[in-house]
């Protein structure tokens, strides 16, 4: 087990619960990162919030509840050290990490070794859960085994919109010049048109919106010309976006029969076709500002965002291309990956993928065939996304959200859809939990 963050701690704990001995390698405090402050396991580097704890109305709250039912160490200690935070689960970060560390170090089946692991082992069941700040030697070795262009060190994240929140009285499907894409269709993009006045108002709002500054440990990673934030492009000239990601060439608004002044395009982002990303809209705007400014775009006035944009230092692989359904590297089947390095985003999502990696590796060590989590569950939906459900060509880190879940078989009113998805998920995870272990 390489890495003692949230995913690594959870994976090691679940292996021990199955009676499988684990050697857990953690480089801290022998070597540290620019973001970590301690040598404790499961240290929370940024926020102390596990976000919404509502299991019936929020996908991350649903994931919390599934993890509780599955015996998650991270959720147990999170609940034990929670702080007042309304509908969210926030924790006392120091007490939480200290408690996880104490549990790991007291577990007879877990041997802790402190120090850097510079390369993937040649043999032996291995889980890599080194997170978004993977040490350079190990990251380079992963890159060597997976391919030069399959390991990213820099997120250029565009917002992702739930398809059913887009106004198709305004937006329409069309590819530029009706050119067929890889899937053979000539209408692969959703197009949101802007006239000149709407475009100018959008540029004004974009330039005036509040931005997020790079943190100190991110500043060494510069912008790349191929993934500039849209606000940086706009600062180079008011027409820059109209000749860049918002260019209208090759598109005809069916309402007018003419080419719009500018267009925002959205491209399918998951195999289910429930999520679409805003092409070229990576940004450092604050999240509240993104929602306000992007809802100025015609067709997106009521947009619901599965993920908002960002640009920051991160190490992650192209999971849909490189991982099999049990989180094993296709090129090195004895190696599993877990946590943020797989392309999931968020504390709880990382721990959940860690839980699954521990479950799969433990089953393999015991010589039994693991049963994959049901796709209707939050665990199953998240696993499917990082191992194949996400589009490999546009894959970027993402939090769990209801757009990753298979659609309901029965028609349900929109205001009851989340609760119906959650009810189905909990029933599925309970059934699986009684048969899988």
């Amino acid at each position: 087990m390489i890495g003692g963050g949230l995913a690594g701690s959870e994976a090691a704990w679940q292996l021990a619960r199955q009676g499988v001995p684990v050697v857990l390698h953690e480089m801290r405090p022998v070597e540290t990162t620019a973001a970590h402050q301690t040598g404790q396991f499961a240290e929370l580097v940024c926020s102390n919030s596990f976000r919404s704890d509502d299991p019936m109305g929020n996908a991350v709250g649903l994931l919390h509840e599934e993890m509780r039912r599955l015996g998650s160490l991270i959720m147990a200690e999170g609940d034990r050290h929670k702080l007042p935070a309304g509908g969210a689960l926030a924790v006392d970060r120091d007490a939480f990490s200290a408690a996880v560390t104490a549990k790991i170090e007291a577990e007879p089946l877990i041997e802790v070794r402190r120090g850097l692991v510079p390369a993937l082992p040649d043999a032996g069941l291995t889980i890599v859960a080194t997170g978004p700040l993977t040490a350079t030697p190990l990251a380079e070795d992963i890159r060597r085994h997976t391919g030069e262009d399959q390991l990213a060190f820099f997120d250029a994240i565009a917002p992702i919109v739930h398809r059913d929140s887009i106004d198709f009285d305004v937006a329409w499907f069309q590819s530029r010049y009706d050119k067929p894409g890889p899937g053979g269709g000539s209408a692969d993009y959703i197009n949101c048109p802007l006239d000149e006045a709407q475009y100018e108002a959008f540029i004004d709002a974009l330039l005036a919106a509040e931005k997020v500054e790079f943190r100190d440990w991110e500043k060494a990673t510069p912008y790349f010309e191929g993934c500039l934030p849209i606000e940086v492009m706009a600062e180079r000239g008011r027409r820059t976006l109209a000749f860049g990601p918002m260019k209208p060439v090759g598109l005809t608004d069916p309402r007018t029969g003419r080419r719009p002044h500018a267009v925002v395009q959205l491209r399918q982002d998951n195999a289910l076709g429930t999520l679409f990303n805003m092409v070229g809209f990576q940004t450092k705007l604050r999240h509240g500002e993104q929602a306000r400014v992007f809802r100025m775009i015609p067709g997106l006035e009521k947009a619901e965002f599965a993920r908002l944009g960002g640009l920051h230092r991160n190490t992650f692989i192209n999971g849909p291309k490189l991982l099999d359904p049990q989180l094993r590297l296709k090129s090195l089947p004895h190696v599993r990956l877990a946590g943020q390095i797989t392309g999931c985003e968020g504390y709880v999502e990382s721990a959940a993928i860690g839980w699954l990696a521990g479950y799969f590796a433990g089953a393999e060590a015991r010589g039994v065939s693991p049963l994959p989590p049901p796709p209707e569950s939050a665990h199953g939906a998240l696993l499917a996304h990082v191992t194949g459900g996400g589009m490999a060509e546009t894959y970027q880190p993402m939090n769990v959200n209801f757009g990753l879940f298979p659609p309901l078989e029965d028609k349900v009113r929109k205001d009851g859809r989340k609760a119906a998805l959650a009810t189905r998920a909990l029933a599925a995870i309970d059934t699986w939990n009684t048969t899988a272990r």
Side-chain angles (χ1 to χ4, degrees):
M1 184 75 236
I2 306 174
L6 291 156
S9 298
E10 187 69 71
W13 188 256
Q14 296 307 325
L15 282 160
R17 299 281 68 72
Q18 296 174 77
V20 178
V22 185
V23 177
L24 174 56
H25 297 266
E26 170 53 56
M27 70 178 187
R28 294 176 295 115
V30 178
E31 298 193 37
T32 190
T33 73
H36 288 85
Q37 303 295 318
T38 76
Q40 292 187 335
F41 296 119
E43 179 182 338
L44 305 182
V45 171
C46 299
S47 168
N48 72 328
S49 175
F50 285 8
R51 311 193 321 278
S52 173
D53 201 34
D54 174 11
M56 304 309 291
N58 188 287
V60 74
L62 172 59
L63 188 60
H64 289 180
E65 181 58 26
E66 289 187 10
M67 292 178 73
R68 292 182 178 111
R69 298 185 185 195
L70 294 174
S72 161
L73 170 66
I74 295 303
M75 283 308 303
E77 295 306 325
D79 287 336
R80 193 167 287 119
H81 298 283
K82 65 183 178 183
L83 301 172
L89 175 60
V91 305
D92 179 327
R93 69 173 73 224
D94 294 330
F96 166 78
S97 297
V100 173
T101 302
K103 284 287 185 73
I104 293 291
E105 291 181 338
E107 170 53 57
L109 287 175
I110 300 177
E111 176 189 346
V112 175
R113 296 182 187 176
R114 300 283 183 169
L116 174 68
V117 176
L120 297 173
D122 293 330
L125 290 181
T126 302
I127 300 175
V128 178
T130 45
L133 297 175
T134 299
T136 300
L138 181 58
E140 289 297 338
D141 194 55
I142 294 171
R143 181 192 282 253
R144 181 173 65 85
H145 283 287
T146 58
E148 287 294 315
D149 60 346
Q150 300 305 318
L151 181 70
F153 295 95
F154 196 72
D155 280 352
I157 301 176
I160 290 180
V161 178
H162 290 272
R163 174 180 169 164
D164 62 8
S165 70
I166 299 171
D167 182 0
F168 284 98
D169 287 338
V170 176
W172 76 97
F173 276 93
Q174 184 187 5
S175 300
R176 294 190 192 280
Y177 303 106
D178 301 310
K179 183 179 179 181
S186 60
D188 292 336
Y189 291 81
I190 296 173
N191 300 278
C192 297
L194 295 86
D195 61 26
E196 185 172 3
Q198 291 167 332
Y199 176 81
E200 293 296 333
F202 175 76
I203 296 297
D204 287 339
L206 186 61
L207 293 174
E210 189 177 359
K211 285 83 174 173
V212 177
E213 298 298 324
F214 277 117
R215 289 168 285 191
D216 289 341
W217 53 273
E218 294 176 316
K219 289 179 179 176
T221 306
Y223 292 133
F224 297 119
E225 284 296 315
C227 61
L228 287 173
I230 57 168
E231 61 272 14
V232 172
M233 286 189 275
E235 289 169 356
R236 295 182 173 184
R238 297 185 66 87
R239 297 288 297 154
T240 302
L241 291 178
F243 286 94
M246 295 178 68
K247 61 181 179 290
V249 295
L251 299 168
T252 302
D253 186 340
R255 298 176 304 162
T256 65
R258 299 191 303 272
R259 185 174 78 182
H261 182 77
V263 167
V264 173
Q265 288 197 305
L266 296 95
R267 176 175 51 212
Q268 186 172 331
D269 203 79
N270 68 338
L272 294 172
T274 55
L275 301 175
F276 279 72
N277 73 72
M278 299 175 67
V279 178
F281 266 60
Q282 56 273 0
T283 178
K284 287 287 281 184
L285 296 186
R286 292 193 176 278
H287 281 181
E289 293 285 78
Q290 288 185 45
R292 178 182 66 83
V293 174
F294 297 155
R295 285 179 180 141
M296 295 174 64
I297 297 167
L300 300 184
E301 293 91 345
K302 296 182 180 179
E304 295 178 10
F305 295 94
R307 180 190 73 192
L308 287 162
L311 202 69
H312 61 273
R313 171 71 165 82
N314 195 358
T315 302
F316 68 98
I317 65 160
N318 190 335
K321 186 171 183 178
L322 300 178
L323 296 177
D324 76 4
Q326 291 189 27
L327 295 165
R328 293 175 293 207
L329 280 174
K330 295 174 183 176
S331 58
L332 288 174
H334 68 283
V335 176
R336 282 181 170 84
L337 270 64
Q340 279 189 260
I341 198 169
T342 66
C344 67
E345 188 75 83
Y347 290 151
V348 181
E349 291 90 334
S350 296
I353 295 296
W355 192 101
L356 288 168
Y359 164 69
F360 287 136
E364 185 172 348
R366 293 181 291 117
V368 300
S369 298
L371 183 67
E376 300 87 359
S377 68
H379 281 76
L382 192 59
L383 176 67
H385 181 72
V386 303
T387 60
M391 307 297 279
E393 298 80 9
T394 59
Y395 188 66
Q396 289 287 343
M398 184 185 293
N399 297 110
V400 67
N401 64 84
F402 283 117
L404 302 181
F405 290 62
L408 294 162
E409 293 182 3
D410 298 325
K411 194 170 183 65
V412 177
R413 282 173 48 118
K414 188 173 182 180
D415 59 3
R417 195 174 304 159
K418 291 179 180 178
L421 287 167
T423 299
R424 183 184 67 173
L426 293 175
I429 206 72
D430 284 343
T431 299
W432 179 75
N433 197 23
T434 61
T435 57
R437 297 190 290 164

